[in-house]
Amino acid sequence: MKILYGIQGTGNGHLSRAIELIPYLKKESEVDILISGLHHDLEFNHPIKFKKQGLGFFFGKNGGIDIWKTIRKFNIYRFLKDIKSLPVEEYDLVISDFEPVTSWACKLKKVFCLGLSHQSAMLNSRTPMPDKIEFLGYQVLKNYAPCNHNVSFHFKEYGHNMFTPVIRREIRLLEPENNGHYLVYLPAYSDEKLIKVLSHFPDTQWVVYSKHSKLKYHADNVKINPVNGEAFIRSLKDCAGVLCGAGFETPAESLFLGKKLAVIPMKNQFEQVCNAHALGELGIPVIEDLEQDGPAKIAQWINGVTSIKKLNYPDNAKSVIKYLMNHYAVQK
């Protein structure tokens, strides 16, 4: 059996999950890997057969995506060429972790494509959703990487074909401690904006991992570090709490380690709005805007008595692949 596994390479979450799943997938079949949107900070040790531009995005500095840079860097002709030339018809099963080249190539050539992602959980009617759903954001998420069937991941198993997060092995092996500092990962904000808000709390030590700086530096009680996987994991292990975006992997890892958590969803990012809603139902503080309500809510978060949610997510990588093989291996 031959499988094509398409992975979204914008950010680290899709790749960190794939790193855990691929060894079990390779025990079942021959696997070719496609990665698009190569804006990540993880070391990926599996051979990559196809590297594509995809439909990645660039973080801005005001809490959202840098729309103009994203548009400027996108080459639609190359994207269409990649879709047409990808030989998806040569595979027994095509899997897409929110990866658009594989998904659209399958749609164009009428080949079955299985979605294996967190984003697809937003299409499940049992997933917690905000009362007001932004139509455009929902349509973008639905059509970004369209698949015939979906197997999803979320903070809880809300519905059919859904698993809890795949926690990477480095995190599972940690013995968490509390050395007093707070870890911050908000890549859609500039260092200057973060320092301005976090300096309201001079008695708190903040360790920021920045997408906008290539050098380490201090600004009073705020340490700015360029994103580094090993250093980030060490800081996550020893921190008192985590202030991050409402993505999926970092909040899930924080919940697994029992870290005090608060999230700030990216602006105009439908998935993060939905994640924030689900986390709010779990009792996690949600801060809508760093500058407007951030100082007051961060103060309440760090000074208040906040119950810490520790979720003992099972080591489920093997069972996820077994489920896929049992239900989808015969599809063509």
Side-chain angles (χ1 to χ4, degrees):
M1 184 178 179
K2 194 174 181 182
I3 292 177
L4 175 63
Y5 189 1
I7 308 164
Q8 170 67 257
T10 300
N12 298 327
H14 306 271
L15 287 169
S16 67
R17 175 166 54 245
I19 288 169
E20 298 300 318
L21 295 176
I22 286 170
Y24 295 106
L25 197 58
K26 285 186 173 181
K27 290 180 180 179
E28 302 289 342
S29 63
E30 179 184 349
V31 181
D32 286 343
I33 296 169
L34 180 151
I35 297 180
S36 71
L38 303 173
H39 310 136
H40 58 86
D41 309 292
L42 284 180
E43 184 176 349
F44 192 80
N45 293 322
H46 299 286
I48 303 169
K49 183 156 187 178
F50 304 102
K51 292 183 180 180
K52 303 296 183 182
Q53 170 194 260
L55 286 170
F57 64 85
F58 293 86
F59 292 110
K61 296 185 177 182
N62 297 303
I65 294 169
D66 187 331
I67 299 294
W68 292 116
K69 185 176 181 180
T70 298
I71 294 172
R72 202 166 57 245
K73 294 287 186 178
F74 177 56
N75 186 331
I76 189 169
Y77 300 105
R78 181 178 172 184
F79 181 68
L80 293 173
K81 182 180 177 181
D82 287 342
I83 289 172
K84 292 177 181 177
S85 63
L86 189 65
V88 289
E89 66 278 6
E90 297 178 5
Y91 293 89
D92 299 300
L93 178 63
V94 179
I95 299 173
S96 170
D97 186 342
F98 206 55
E99 197 296 299
V101 177
T102 49
S103 298
W104 279 101
C106 286
K107 191 174 182 67
L108 176 68
K109 299 179 181 182
K110 295 181 171 53
V111 173
F112 178 88
C113 185
L114 174 66
L116 182 66
S117 68
H118 164 64
Q119 285 77 7
S120 64
M122 309 307 141
L123 307 177
N124 191 308
S125 61
R126 296 188 179 182
T127 297
M129 301 287 277
D131 293 334
K132 185 178 179 181
I133 296 177
E134 182 195 352
F135 176 79
L136 179 60
Y138 180 83
Q139 291 301 318
V140 169
L141 185 142
K142 181 180 179 180
N143 294 291
Y144 179 91
C147 297
N148 298 91
H149 288 181
N150 287 295
V151 174
S152 309
F153 303 92
H154 214 316
F155 299 117
K156 293 174 64 176
E157 292 181 358
Y158 293 108
H160 181 61
N161 278 18
M162 195 176 296
F163 290 87
T164 53
V166 175
I167 302 297
R168 49 183 165 155
R169 194 144 308 278
E170 300 100 307
I171 301 299
R172 288 193 174 278
L173 295 175
L174 294 179
E175 295 182 5
E177 300 178 9
N178 182 350
N179 290 344
H181 73 273
Y182 283 78
L183 183 154
V184 180
Y185 183 56
L186 291 165
Y189 285 98
S190 68
D191 299 346
E192 293 76 17
K193 289 184 182 294
L194 290 172
I195 291 168
K196 180 181 177 181
V197 171
L198 299 177
S199 62
H200 283 80
F201 312 98
D203 296 329
T204 302
Q205 294 300 312
W206 302 97
V207 178
V208 176
Y209 284 88
S210 169
K211 282 280 190 179
H212 307 290
S213 177
K214 295 182 179 180
L215 298 173
K216 292 183 179 181
Y217 64 95
H218 286 213
D220 296 324
N221 61 318
V222 182
K223 294 181 180 179
I224 303 293
N225 298 301
V227 175
N228 176 283
E230 291 183 3
F232 184 92
I233 289 175
R234 289 195 300 270
S235 186
L236 180 61
K237 168 185 174 294
D238 294 333
C239 70
V242 177
L243 177 63
C244 64
F248 184 54
E249 277 70 23
T250 299
E253 290 174 353
S254 302
L255 292 169
F256 176 77
L257 293 172
K259 297 295 181 178
K260 191 175 181 180
L261 175 65
V263 298
I264 305 178
M266 283 177 62
K267 296 175 182 178
N268 303 314
Q269 223 277 10
F270 179 72
E271 177 209 340
Q272 292 217 3
V273 171
C274 296
N275 287 345
H277 181 78
L279 288 166
E281 287 195 352
L282 292 174
I284 303 303
V286 176
I287 301 167
E288 297 299 333
D289 186 276
L290 174 70
E291 295 176 287
Q292 292 182 11
D293 61 345
K297 288 192 174 181
I298 291 172
Q300 185 179 18
W301 175 58
I302 61 176
N303 297 321
V305 179
T306 303
S307 59
I308 296 174
K309 300 286 182 180
K310 180 175 174 61
L311 298 181
N312 294 314
Y313 292 130
D315 190 354
N316 59 354
K318 184 177 181 179
S319 60
V320 169
I321 297 304
K322 183 178 179 181
Y323 181 86
L324 297 189
M325 293 299 101
N326 287 342
H327 289 80
Y328 297 101
V330 297
Q331 295 283 359
K332 177 67 178 174

